Amino acid sequence: MKQFSFYSIVLLNIIFLVSCDKNFETLEIENGSGGHLSTVSNITSEPLPGQIALKWDIPADSAFHLLQISYHDFLTDEDVSLVKSVYTDSILIDNTREKFGKYTFYFQTYDATGNGGDISSFEAVSGRAPITETITATKINLTANQLSTDNQEPSEGPIENLIDDDPNTFFHTRWSSPQIPMPQYIQIDLDEPIDDFQFYQLNRNGSQQAPRLVDIQISNDGENWETIANLTAGLPSGSQAEYTSDVFRPGKTFTHFRYVCLETFDNRNYFNLAEFQLFDVTIDIYDPEL
């Protein structure tokens, strides 16, 4: 008889735990059989970005077995019930929104046979869900007549080598006499205005005079230039080293671009690069709170 009772209880527990894998409605308390169960206490909340963190104290009842937490999901317009074990004292509610104001959470404890105790409620608010950005970079197909420089080396490294897709060719500013001091630039004249952008560069294969300090400038007339960034760290020095810039957001359109070398790694009066690419960037912004 004792053996039968033991396995009966185990069977009931298994059935109940399987049912807990799904959202379930609050079980009815027959004749107040679960009324002796205490509910959780000292419930607190923390608003996080697009989330609500809930924490509570576990009741001391030895009969307490499971905890059901129910609330209304405003995003899906559905009622949700979550089941946690006796050992759980916190939960993170995902996909919440600040714009919905107060969420009401209902806590109810259950014993091993599915009898429920008292229900307690708690109100909490979500932190603002973060804005997300989708960035799409499209390479601008440049032609040689769109590129220019103020200090071309006459004997080698023509500037059109920057866009020939050959990592073994290179562009070189003037190393022959008479040399002129830095700064020196690469200029790109665009066929159409752009605003947000980024660039890619590939260092020369072999002998290196790679840029170390660079100004990024833009213009709409090719005469008046605005410096929008100073690159003082992160540019690579190694042979055929690659570099892709962050996205620049000047807040305006422009039709002329300059990459101005202020200093090379060897502090020479000339620099070189193997490849250079300019990208038109589109940024799609999604605000889940709107």
Side-chain angles (χ1 to χ4, degrees):
M1 184 67 178
K2 291 182 178 179
Q3 184 179 12
F4 174 79
S5 300
F6 171 77
Y7 286 113
S8 297
I9 293 173
V10 170
L11 179 60
L12 286 172
N13 282 337
I14 292 173
I15 294 172
F16 183 62
L17 287 172
V18 169
S19 71
C20 289
D21 288 339
K22 301 178 181 179
N23 295 344
F24 65 97
E25 296 179 358
T26 303
L27 300 176
E28 294 183 2
I29 305 172
E30 297 182 5
N31 299 322
S33 58
H36 66 282
L37 293 175
S38 298
T39 187
V40 298
S41 60
N42 296 326
I43 304 171
T44 60
S45 67
E46 180 182 2
L48 301 174
Q51 297 175 317
I52 300 173
L54 297 172
K55 189 171 177 60
W56 57 87
D57 289 345
I58 299 172
D61 300 80
S62 60
F64 171 45
H65 191 64
L66 293 172
L67 173 67
Q68 178 178 262
I69 304 167
S70 302
Y71 69 100
H72 185 74
D73 186 333
F74 293 103
L75 283 180
T76 62
D77 197 24
E78 295 178 348
D79 293 328
V80 177
S81 292
L82 305 172
V83 179
K84 297 298 176 182
S85 78
V86 63
Y87 305 107
T88 304
D89 65 356
S90 62
I91 190 172
L92 187 64
I93 307 297
D94 289 317
N95 293 319
T96 57
R97 298 290 183 268
E98 182 186 59
K99 66 181 178 181
F100 293 133
K102 292 180 179 179
Y103 287 72
T104 301
F105 295 93
Y106 299 94
F107 294 76
Q108 186 172 21
T109 54
Y110 288 86
D111 64 20
T113 61
N115 292 315
D118 295 333
I119 299 174
S120 60
S121 64
F122 182 79
E123 291 183 337
V125 295
S126 171
R128 183 175 180 84
I131 294 172
T132 60
E133 296 182 339
T134 301
I135 296 177
T136 304
T138 303
K139 179 184 174 182
I140 299 173
N141 294 319
L142 299 171
T143 59
N145 61 5
Q146 291 177 273
L147 276 62
S148 60
T149 179
D150 61 338
N151 195 33
Q152 175 68 59
E153 165 56 39
S155 66
E156 63 174 350
I159 195 167
E160 55 264 30
N161 285 352
L162 287 173
I163 56 172
D164 65 359
D165 294 322
D166 185 347
N168 294 310
T169 63
F170 57 88
F171 158 70
H172 212 303
T173 60
R174 190 180 188 107
W175 54 262
S176 58
S177 297
Q179 293 184 10
I180 64 172
M182 295 294 181
Q184 299 163 19
Y185 63 76
I186 296 167
Q187 180 170 322
I188 298 175
D189 300 318
L190 299 168
D191 293 332
E192 297 180 352
I194 63 172
D195 47 14
D196 301 328
F197 70 97
Q198 65 182 155
F199 70 85
Y200 162 88
Q201 70 179 54
L202 175 68
N203 283 357
R204 180 185 174 184
N205 184 13
S207 175
Q208 293 301 301
Q209 297 301 332
R212 188 177 76 86
L213 304 179
V214 170
D215 278 350
I216 301 299
Q217 298 181 338
I218 60 173
S219 172
N220 276 307
D221 58 12
E223 296 182 3
N224 299 293
W225 294 89
E226 177 184 356
T227 299
I228 63 167
N230 308 102
L231 306 183
T232 59
L235 292 175
S237 62
S239 173
Q240 289 197 310
E242 298 177 287
Y243 175 82
T244 299
S245 74
D246 293 335
V247 174
F248 298 100
R249 310 182 192 204
K252 64 183 72 175
T253 61
F254 63 94
T255 54
H256 302 275
F257 165 88
R258 274 187 182 176
Y259 175 100
V260 183
C261 179
L262 306 177
E263 183 180 308
T264 69
F265 282 95
D266 290 336
N267 200 27
R268 301 298 180 90
N269 288 327
Y270 47 84
F271 75 95
N272 52 52
L273 289 172
E275 294 289 318
F276 193 90
Q277 298 172 2
L278 191 64
F279 294 85
D280 185 8
V281 171
T282 301
I283 303 175
D284 294 319
I285 299 175
Y286 170 64
D287 187 347
E289 294 286 354
L290 297 180

